[in-house]
Amino acid sequence: MSELSMELLDGVVGIYLGGFRWGSDECALKYSKVLCHREVVTRNFLLAKGHYRADFLIRHLVMPGHLECCTEPFWSG
């Protein structure tokens, strides 16, 4: 989602539900053909957090075989 989209949705959306799938940009590119996944999803959550009338839910999809590279980074900071 772009920053412009987030700006347009401010005050319209009541709940944001987004998710992290990949904790590693290498895995995101290899399996989903997505650049900067963690950076973009983090930015979107921070933008949603700034929308004072909206709640947000964060989910993390644990991908099989990706515990060390894609799940542990979320728990270790």
Side-chain angles (χ1 to χ4, degrees), residues 2-72:
S2 71
E3 290 183 53
L4 176 59
S5 297
M6 293 294 288
E7 184 179 324
L8 293 171
L9 293 172
D10 190 10
V12 176
V13 172
I15 298 176
Y16 290 96
L17 171 62
F20 287 100
R21 178 172 295 169
W22 307 108
S24 156
D25 284 336
E26 294 81 17
C27 292
L29 182 59
K30 182 177 180 179
Y31 297 107
S32 295
K33 310 286 189 267
V34 176
L35 294 172
C36 307
H37 171 73
R38 188 171 178 174
E39 177 184 334
V40 171
V41 174
T42 299
R43 181 204 67 202
N44 288 343
F45 276 122
L46 292 173
L47 289 170
K49 181 180 175 186
H51 294 185
Y52 65 94
R53 286 187 266 170
D55 292 323
F56 63 98
L57 303 171
I58 300 174
R59 63 185 174 168
H60 172 65
L61 179 60
V62 178
M63 302 300 288
H66 291 267
L67 185 64
E68 291 82 18
C69 57
C70 292
T71 297
E72 287 181 7

